[in-house]
Amino acid sequence: FGLIPVFKYAGPRLSGALRQGGRNSSDGRERHRARSVLVVVQVALALVLLIGSGLMIRTVRALRHVPPGFTEPQQILTLHVSIPDAEVPKPEQAARTYNNILEKVAAIPGVTAVGLTNSVTMDGETDNDPIFAADKSYADGEVPPLRRYKFISPGFFKAMGNPLLAGRDLTWTDIYENRRVVLVSEALARELWRDPAAALDKQIRENPKAPWRQIVGVVGNERDDGVDHKATTIVYWPMMLHDFWGFPVSVQRGQAFAIRSSRTGSASFLNEVRRAVWSVNPDLPIANVRTVKEVYNRSMTRTAFTLVMLTMAAGMALLLGIVGIYGVVSYTVSQRTREIGIRIALGAPQRSVRRMFVREGLRLTAMGVFCGLAAAAGLTRMMTALLFEVSPLDPITYCAVSLVLAGAALLASYLPARRATAIEPVEALRIE
């Protein structure tokens, strides 16, 4: 940018320079036009970035209102415990060990609910396989769509704060007596049977040769892939199953505890939880200690990072745009000081003089806003993958940003205009 005028004005151009640079004349029209063009570009860029930032702000607000599949995540402590085959060989014994740990943890003061799962919402641990429904027909060799598999214990949904929409929860009697029962998410129930209540007593299985299992409950949706994705279709199997994928008895040996308590976050509470686990078996490892709030925040990292970067860029662009408008109006005022003095001396009201310069700043702003809106309409479409329930052409964002930019430009134009009209006419006339 610095080299542009060097090459443009290289060589003898004395007559033009003298015509544009007289001591009592205003700045040359060509230079004034160049400054104005740069200001328009600054305003347009500021508008594009501010609109992008506004769209991300609206996206974050929309995401915050999406039920993720849990409530009050700061109160839910999660930790992983694994029971190796070498430590507890029999599956039934492993299931009872987990049951005993749950009872110990539930007895800790302040614990209101506790449950087990192989995958906490949004933790990135996924297990997907087809699901066959007894009342649906399938062609030979046809494989149904993949569904998310989760293995849970009784009390898990209460610990997470996920409501039971129809039917009932699992019980330890279901698990120990090998009752062929299962729960599903609302999204799966609506996809297959259109209504959560209609899914009750329906039968599903994991492969064409497996025994049928009866749906006894439907729970609220989980945004297991993140709140910016649609609700995941999930099947909730009991943590111990008979005749599952050809195994006589299978149990999930790596489980995540979900512990709800108002004491979550304190070191003393975590120590009590550890002692409860090790009171059942002191050799069990404990890993991935964190709150569900931390898991949730991590799932929002990309959106939050994009918002921060766009906001910083938009803030700098807005500042540059305001400085540009202020600089152009101020320079124009300095070049027309004698003219201002003459106008005021001849009786022109100060208000009309101020309005003349404010109008110049708003004219540049209007041009920049017009160009910026046109550019934003095309460029923000590239943000579609980052937006949630917000259109790239969201009229509220476009109007709000335009008004903010216009207000800032009005202030940037008014200040030098006000300073100009504060000069005494006699002093203004003396300025060469």
Side-chain angles (χ1 to χ4, degrees):
F1 281 100
L3 289 174
I4 291 175
V6 173
F7 290 114
K8 184 177 179 64
Y9 296 105
R13 299 178 56 132
L14 296 178
S15 60
L18 290 174
R19 282 197 300 271
Q20 294 186 14
R23 70 177 190 170
N24 289 329
S25 67
S26 297
D27 201 11
R29 182 180 300 175
E30 187 175 352
R31 284 192 238 170
H32 182 71
R33 186 186 302 118
R35 280 194 297 270
S36 299
V37 169
L38 289 176
V39 171
V40 169
V41 172
Q42 286 177 338
V43 172
L45 290 176
L47 186 79
V48 172
L49 288 169
L50 284 169
I51 287 176
S53 180
L55 292 174
M56 288 306 301
I57 290 173
R58 297 208 66 195
T59 291
V60 171
R61 289 190 62 186
L63 292 175
R64 296 293 184 187
H65 288 84
V66 175
F70 47 76
T71 59
E72 298 179 319
Q74 72 280 1
Q75 294 189 3
I76 309 173
L77 177 68
T78 69
L79 52 90
H80 284 255
V81 175
S82 297
I83 301 180
D85 292 340
E87 187 72 26
V88 181
K90 295 182 179 180
E92 295 88 346
Q93 187 179 358
R96 292 190 181 276
T97 300
Y98 277 123
N99 192 358
N100 292 337
I101 295 174
L102 287 176
E103 292 176 353
K104 295 287 187 180
V105 173
I108 297 174
V111 174
T112 56
V114 60
L116 292 172
T117 181
N118 68 310
S119 173
V120 177
T121 307
M122 301 182 191
D123 67 355
E125 300 291 335
T126 59
D127 187 4
N128 303 280
D129 271 307
I131 283 293
F132 294 82
D135 60 340
K136 307 294 181 183
S137 58
Y138 304 95
D140 291 340
E142 180 183 358
V143 178
L146 297 178
R147 314 294 184 184
R148 186 68 44 84
Y149 277 23
K150 291 198 175 188
F151 301 87
I152 63 167
S153 76
F156 169 69
F157 299 115
K158 183 179 179 181
M160 295 295 291
N162 196 3
L164 194 67
L165 304 181
R168 65 174 181 86
D169 196 359
L170 289 176
T171 66
W172 285 105
T173 303
D174 293 331
I175 293 174
Y176 292 140
E177 292 186 0
N178 185 28
R179 296 178 181 175
R180 293 193 172 104
V181 295
V182 68
L183 284 82
V184 298
S185 67
E186 178 187 0
L188 180 58
R190 291 190 182 280
E191 184 177 313
L192 294 181
W193 300 288
R194 298 186 179 180
D195 185 75
L200 295 179
D201 298 326
K202 295 294 191 296
Q203 294 181 319
I204 60 175
R205 60 185 178 184
E206 71 277 15
N207 65 72
K209 297 182 180 180
W212 292 107
R213 303 181 192 274
Q214 184 180 13
I215 297 174
V216 296
V218 180
V219 297
N221 284 327
E222 282 189 57
R223 302 279 178 159
D224 208 35
D225 297 320
V227 289
D228 56 338
H229 292 71
K230 66 179 182 179
T232 314
T233 54
I234 306 176
V235 179
Y236 298 97
W237 307 99
M239 58 177 289
M240 184 173 69
L241 292 161
H242 290 71
D243 302 318
F244 187 74
W245 284 111
F247 293 95
V249 182
S250 61
V251 67
Q252 294 297 305
R253 290 184 171 272
Q255 294 279 5
F257 283 73
I259 308 166
R260 179 174 289 274
S261 173
S262 59
R263 298 175 58 199
T264 296
S266 66
S268 60
F269 179 67
L270 178 57
N271 289 332
E272 290 182 49
V273 171
R274 285 170 172 161
R275 285 197 295 269
V277 174
W278 291 330
S279 68
V280 177
N281 189 325
D283 298 324
L284 296 181
I286 297 176
N288 290 344
V289 180
R290 53 188 174 176
T291 65
V292 173
K293 180 69 173 176
E294 294 176 62
V295 179
Y296 176 74
N297 289 340
R298 186 173 299 176
S299 73
M300 296 281 287
T301 299
R302 184 184 72 160
T303 301
F305 177 77
T306 305
L307 173 61
V308 170
M309 295 304 295
L310 273 175
T311 301
M312 291 174 59
M316 293 301 298
L318 177 61
L319 178 62
L320 289 175
I322 293 173
V323 169
I325 294 171
Y326 180 87
V328 166
V329 175
S330 294
Y331 192 74
T332 303
V333 167
S334 68
Q335 292 291 302
R336 300 174 66 179
T337 303
R338 286 175 57 83
E339 176 190 340
I340 294 169
I342 294 173
R343 286 176 180 269
I344 295 177
L346 293 176
Q350 291 185 348
R351 182 182 303 174
S352 64
V353 175
R354 283 197 296 265
R355 189 182 299 120
M356 177 179 62
F357 292 105
V358 170
R359 190 183 300 118
E360 172 67 12
L362 292 182
R363 183 182 68 84
L364 296 177
T365 302
M367 295 172 61
V369 168
F370 179 78
C371 296
L373 288 174
L379 294 175
T380 53
R381 296 179 187 275
M382 300 168 60
M383 296 177 59
T384 302
L386 295 172
L387 303 180
F388 179 78
E389 294 185 355
V390 178
S391 168
L393 301 177
D394 179 55
I396 296 178
T397 302
Y398 278 59
C399 291
V401 167
S402 299
L403 290 175
V404 169
L405 194 55
L410 178 63
L411 180 62
S413 304
Y414 177 77
L415 293 178
R418 180 183 179 184
R419 188 176 65 248
T421 56
I423 300 176
E424 290 293 333
V426 175
E427 295 297 328
L429 292 172
R430 289 176 181 171
I431 295 176
E432 293 292 335

